[in-house]
């Protein structure tokens, strides 16, 4: 029998945790509940105790057996720690490593995987501080689910609603029986933009944030792969379990990729600059010299080179960022670059820098159109497809 420790935070969505307990128990998962101080204002310990048929813990001081380090025991008896609803405050304290109540003490003391299902007001979810905390937690290896979008209890509309209990249960079941099919595989991922210098202070770049490539590196690592992430300049922490090699220019990226081979799979997600400035200036160009005439020369095509290298990985996957005739261009790119698969996305909207993505997977047998999803979900699906193919 699998066991979870369910931490119920102080949000209106706490009532949905009651339904989650029922669903878990029906799925044969034992649930022990911890209710935060804030949580007691939304559901009672009695409700959770009745549904879980187990004692409910609320404060650090009601663990009678502190001699046995009760709070550590509690976090270790479970196979998974689930935080639902994870409020903005709880996520912030988790990200900072604060341990000022029973819930956060357990979260800091646990050696088990942690899954958080956020629920909060849309502005709180979109606030820079929450964005930063979620990125930190994900880099620490915590699975933070994407909240649902819709009408909120506070009358606003947008992302921030607790995912529906069946969706949380599915994530719990996935976390309890992790897919480790990429164990023993070496996967090489490129991500982010490249910066091509004009002079020591100026460069040519593009709008790539690196988010999709980083999500793919994280998804492959979560499935057990050894991941080398060759990254252009981005503002993201290296995902847990990956080895990151930071580069700036396309030529540096090409060299790092070559040095990282052999690999079983290469996934070239980087938005590599097609051209660089020929003879970039050693000293800062002065305005008084007048507008410089920049002469551009082609950069190496890293994807094409990897796909025709003697050390060609078994599966070579490219990306195609297109603004029109997406599938047609992607199909042509697959052939021209000798990639096995091309993941094509329409970047005419706000995909670049955003958190969601809608893609088409172009393979030798045809085109699959995937429904729009978070970049993390697209990454998971791609990692699963890779495991199927190997
Ligand atoms: N790519 C690469 N090296 C380059 C250029 C692109 O490895 N110098 C890879 C990207 O990582 C991506 C794929 O090639 O996987 C597609 O890149 P994209 O820029 O969309 O295609 P291009 O070949 O540059 O074609 P175009 O700019 O005309 O769309």
């Amino acid at each position: 029998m699998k066991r979870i420790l369910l931490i119920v935070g102080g949000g209106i969505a706490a009532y949905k945790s009651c339904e989650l307990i029922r669903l878990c128990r029906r799925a044969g998962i034992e649930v022990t509940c911890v209710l935060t101080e804030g949580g007691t204002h939304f559901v009672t310990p009695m409700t959770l105790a009745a549904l879980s048929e187990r004692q409910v813990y609320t404060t650090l001081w009601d663990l009678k057996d502190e001699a046995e380090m009760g709070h550590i025991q509690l976090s270790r008896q479970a196979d998974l720690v689930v935080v639902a609803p994870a409020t903005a405050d709880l996520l912030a304290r988790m990200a900072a490593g604060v341990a000022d109540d029973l819930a956060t003490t357990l979260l800091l003391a646990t050696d088990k995987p942690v899954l958080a299902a956020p629920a909060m007001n849309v502005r709180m979810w979109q606030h820079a501080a929450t964005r930063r905390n979620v990125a930190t937690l994900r880099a620490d290896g915590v699975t933070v689910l994407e909240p649902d979008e819709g009408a909120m209890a506070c009358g606003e509309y947008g992302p921030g609603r607790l995912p529906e209990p069946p969706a949380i249960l599915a994530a719990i079941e996935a976390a309890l029986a992790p897919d480790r099919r990429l164990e023993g595989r070496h996967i090489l991922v490129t991500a982010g933009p490249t910066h091509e210098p004009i002079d020591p202070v100026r460069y040519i770049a593009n709008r790539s944030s690196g988010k999709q490539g980083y999500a793919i590196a994280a998804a492959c690592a979560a499935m057990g792969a050894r991941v080398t992430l060759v990254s252009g300049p981005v503002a993201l922490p290296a995902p847990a379990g990956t080895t990151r090699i930071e580069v700036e220019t396309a030529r540096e990226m090409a060299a790092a990729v070559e040095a990282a081979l052999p690999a079983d799979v290469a996934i070239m997600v980087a938005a590599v600059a097609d051209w660089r400035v020929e003879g970039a200036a050693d000293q800062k160009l002065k305005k008084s010299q007048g507008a410089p005439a920049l002469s551009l020369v082609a950069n190496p095509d890293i994807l094409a080179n990897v796909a025709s290298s003697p050390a060609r990985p078994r599966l070579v996957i490219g990306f195609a960022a297109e603004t029109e005739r997406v599938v047609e261009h992607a199909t042509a790119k697959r052939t021209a670059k000798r990639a096995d698969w091309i993941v094509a996305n329409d970047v005419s909207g706000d995909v670049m820098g955003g958190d969601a993505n809608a893609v088409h997977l172009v393979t030798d047998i045809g085109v699959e159109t995937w429904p729009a999803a978070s970049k993390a979900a697209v990454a998971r699906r791609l990692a699963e497809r890779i495991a199927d193919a190997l």
Side-chain angles (χ1 to χ4, degrees):
M1 161 99 84
K2 293 284 187 184
R3 296 174 180 178
I4 65 166
L5 185 70
L6 176 64
I7 295 173
V8 179
I12 183 66
Y15 76 91
K16 288 194 191 172
S17 302
C18 301
E19 176 63 10
L20 178 64
I21 298 169
R22 283 169 14 101
L23 292 180
C24 285
R25 300 212 48 216
R26 224 180 288 157
I29 301 165
E30 190 180 281
V31 185
T32 303
C33 295
V34 169
L35 189 58
T36 65
E37 201 326 90
T40 61
H41 296 284
F42 296 92
V43 289
T44 69
M46 187 69 86
T47 313
L48 300 183
L51 291 168
S52 66
E53 293 185 274
R54 295 180 62 81
Q55 184 182 346
V56 173
Y57 301 88
T58 52
T59 83
L60 207 43
W61 316 114
D62 67 5
L63 294 176
K64 309 219 166 34
D65 46 1
E66 196 54 33
E68 291 172 40
M69 305 297 280
H71 55 282
I72 292 182
Q73 285 305 331
L74 206 49
S75 73
R76 303 232 166 135
Q77 282 158 358
D79 301 296
L80 174 73
V81 181
V82 179
V83 188
T87 59
D89 173 67
L90 205 40
L91 290 174
R93 289 188 292 141
M94 286 166 73
V98 169
D100 60 356
D101 64 359
L102 178 60
T104 49
T105 302
L106 291 169
L107 285 159
L108 202 58
T110 191
D111 57 352
K112 295 296 158 46
V114 178
L115 180 118
M120 66 196 72
N121 166 274
V122 51
R123 285 177 215 289
M124 292 168 87
W125 174 250
Q126 288 169 340
H127 194 282
T130 305
R131 309 278 76 229
R132 205 161 51 230
N133 292 332
V134 168
T136 302
L137 289 167
R138 285 183 175 151
D140 289 346
V142 174
T143 304
V144 183
L145 301 182
E146 286 296 319
D148 278 357
E149 202 170 315
M152 321 208 69
C154 53
E156 287 184 80
Y157 187 93
R161 279 160 53 125
L162 185 74
E164 289 305 319
I168 303 177
L169 174 64
I172 290 172
E173 289 182 315
L176 287 173
D179 185 345
R180 304 284 294 174
R181 284 181 294 157
L182 294 177
E183 217 144 54
R185 308 286 189 181
H186 178 210
I187 299 189
L188 173 59
V189 181
T190 65
T194 62
H195 285 183
E196 308 297 332
I198 295 170
D199 68 15
V201 299
R202 303 178 178 95
Y203 58 82
I204 297 176
N206 58 65
R207 296 185 193 280
S208 168
S209 64
K211 284 181 186 172
Q212 185 64 80
Y214 273 56
I216 289 169
C220 293
M223 285 177 71
R226 177 163 75 83
V227 177
T228 305
L229 172 60
V230 178
S231 174
V234 295
L236 299 171
T242 64
T243 302
R244 176 166 67 177
I245 299 163
E246 294 174 74
V247 299
E248 210 156 294
T249 66
R251 285 193 293 178
E252 285 168 18
M253 186 174 275
V257 163
E258 204 180 307
L261 292 174
D264 298 288
V265 183
I267 315 172
M268 310 280 96
V269 197
V272 184
D274 290 316
W275 305 283
R276 67 177 179 275
V277 177
E278 189 178 32
D282 294 336
Q283 302 300 329
K284 188 182 166 201
L285 297 173
K286 301 302 287 178
K287 208 165 30 211
S288 56
Q289 296 168 320
L294 300 181
S295 160
L296 302 178
V297 288
N299 269 327
D301 191 311
I302 304 169
L303 171 61
N305 290 350
V306 167
S308 31
S309 129
R312 187 189 199 280
R314 216 164 112 193
L315 191 58
V316 176
I317 305 170
F319 267 67
E322 308 289 352
T323 55
E324 55 165 3
R325 294 188 290 165
V326 178
V327 170
E328 186 185 324
H329 284 308
T331 308
K333 239 168 234 184
R334 194 183 87 82
T335 321
K337 300 201 184 197
R338 296 204 193 167
D340 297 299
W341 299 352
I342 292 281
V343 181
N345 57 352
D346 187 336
V347 292
S348 55
D350 55 1
V351 163
M352 286 188 118
D355 290 311
N357 210 351
V359 307
H360 309 272
L361 181 68
V362 182
T363 71
D364 56 335
I365 51 168
V367 181
E368 288 171 28
T369 297
W370 293 359
S374 67
K375 288 183 176 175
V378 168
R380 249 190 328 274
R381 186 157 177 176
L382 183 65
E384 283 166 6
R385 272 306 298 269
I386 292 168
D388 291 344
L390 288 178

